[in-house]
Amino acid sequence: MTLRGLLEPLYERYLLMQCTQIPTHVAIIQDGNRRFAKERGIDTAEGHRAGADKTEEMLDWAHDLGIRYITIYSFSTENFNRTEDEIRELFRLFKEKFLRTISDERVHRYKIRIQMVGDRSLLPEDLRTAVEAAEEATKNYEGFTLNVALAYGGRNEIVLAAREIVSDVREGMINSDAIDVQMVESHLHEAKGIPPVDLIIRTGNEYRTSNFLPWLATGHESAVYFCAPYWPLFRKIDLLRAIRIYDQRLSVKAH
C-alpha cells in the first residue's frame, strides 16, 4: 500500500471529527468530466461514464454521513448547445442509470428515493419513460433522496412555477392576493417538497454556481465550496472538506 493510501483514512477521520454538523441537503455541480477525458486521451463519453460511476460511489458516502438529500446537476438547459453526438451519448447514459436504479441493491437497501428536477418536455420519450420508472419504483422510500437535475435551468424553474400559479389564479383555485413565498415554493420542482440547500459543491476548479437552484440555494444563503478535482476524481476527503466549510459557517453564525 502507498503512503497516500495509509494516510488518507487517517485524514478522513480527522476531517470527520471537525464536522460536528452535517448538512441536510447538498447540491453538487459535477464539473470536469470532459476535461478529465481529454487529459487521459479517452472519449468524452467515457469521461461522462466515469462521472456517473463517481456519483454512485458518492451515494455510499452520503449514506454513511447521514446526508438526507443530494441534488446533482447532470444536464443544464445550456448543455443542449453541445454536439448532437455528445447529447445522444449522455441521454443514453442517463437512461441506463435510471433503469439500473430499479434493480440496484444499494438503492433498495438505503431506501433511496430517485427524483428528477428540470423540464421533462425537453427530454426524449425513452429517457422520460426511464425517469418515470425509477421514480415510481422508489416513490415510497425515505432513507434519503437523490434529485437528478436534467434539462434544468435555475431561471426556468421559477418561470415554470409562475406559469402554474397563473393558471391556478385563472381557474379560480387561488386568489392572487394569497401568493407569497410559501406558495411559490410549493410550486417549484413539481411540488416535490425539496428542502432548502445547505451546501453547494462545485468540482473542476470553476468558481461559479451557474444558476443552480437559485430559490433553494441563493435565496437561503447556502454555503458554497469550490474544489479543483474533476468530478471523476472527487474523493470522500473533498466531500468532508466541503462539510467542514458548512460546519464552520454555522459556528460563526451561532456566535
Side-chain angles (χ1 to χ4, degrees):
M1 181 178 287
T2 64
L3 179 60
R4 178 175 177 177
L6 290 171
L7 293 179
E8 278 199 0
L10 296 176
Y11 187 44
E12 281 184 16
R13 220 168 300 157
Y14 168 74
L15 287 171
L16 189 56
M17 288 168 52
Q18 296 181 310
C19 299
T20 59
Q21 301 176 88
I22 301 297
T24 298
H25 185 183
V26 176
I28 304 175
I29 303 173
Q30 306 162 299
D31 203 359
N33 291 346
R34 294 196 293 175
R35 284 174 286 163
F36 170 82
K38 184 177 180 180
E39 287 189 4
R40 279 157 180 74
I42 59 177
D43 291 340
T44 299
E46 290 303 308
H48 288 309
R49 184 166 293 277
D53 291 342
K54 178 59 64 173
T55 298
E56 293 185 8
E57 185 178 10
M58 184 268 302
L59 294 181
D60 288 320
W61 306 337
H63 176 266
D64 292 343
L65 292 168
I67 297 169
R68 296 298 307 279
Y69 292 82
I70 293 280
T71 301
I72 56 174
Y73 206 174
S74 296
F75 192 88
S76 72
T77 49
E78 289 78 14
N79 289 154
F80 281 102
N81 294 326
R82 295 183 179 181
T83 67
E84 289 186 11
D85 285 344
E86 183 176 357
I87 293 173
R88 184 167 51 251
E89 288 298 326
L90 273 169
F91 284 176
R92 181 180 297 143
L93 176 61
F94 295 150
K95 177 183 174 182
E96 173 191 318
K97 293 297 184 180
F98 273 110
L99 291 177
R100 183 180 297 176
T101 63
I102 298 172
S103 58
D104 189 327
E105 184 270 339
R106 171 176 41 198
V107 168
H108 301 294
R109 173 161 35 101
Y110 294 164
K111 305 295 183 185
I112 302 174
R113 184 176 185 180
I114 310 293
Q115 299 183 143
M116 175 192 155
V117 295
D119 191 343
R120 294 169 189 252
S121 68
L122 299 177
L123 301 180
E125 184 177 353
D126 61 334
L127 178 52
R128 284 201 307 272
T129 300
V131 168
E132 291 165 2
E135 290 179 326
E136 178 65 24
T138 62
K139 65 181 181 181
N140 295 320
Y141 286 164
E142 298 180 350
F144 73 88
T145 300
L146 173 64
N147 302 305
V148 183
L150 286 178
Y152 174 86
R155 289 177 293 183
N156 192 46
E157 75 172 4
I158 296 174
V159 169
L160 293 175
R163 286 177 182 169
E164 289 184 10
I165 293 172
V166 169
S167 177
D168 289 347
V169 170
R170 285 176 176 169
E171 294 178 12
M173 297 172 61
I174 59 173
N175 189 303
S176 60
D177 294 335
I179 299 174
D180 56 13
V181 170
Q182 288 71 31
M183 181 173 291
V184 174
E185 288 188 346
S186 71
H187 283 78
L188 289 171
H189 313 117
E190 300 175 324
K192 287 184 170 68
I194 301 172
V197 174
D198 300 306
L199 171 66
I200 289 183
I201 299 171
R202 181 164 191 157
T203 62
N205 216 25
E206 291 284 350
Y207 294 84
R208 52 198 170 89
T209 57
S210 295
N211 202 26
F212 188 34
L213 301 173
W215 188 283
L216 295 179
T218 306
H220 292 272
E221 298 186 344
S222 63
V224 181
Y225 180 76
F226 301 109
C227 60
Y230 301 141
W231 176 244
L233 299 175
F234 190 75
R235 301 167 298 168
K236 189 175 183 179
I237 282 174
D238 299 306
L239 177 59
L240 289 170
R241 284 172 173 164
I243 294 174
R244 181 172 60 181
I245 292 293
Y246 165 78
D247 185 274
Q248 290 171 345
R249 179 173 182 180
L250 286 189
S251 298
V252 170
K253 289 175 69 174
H255 291 86

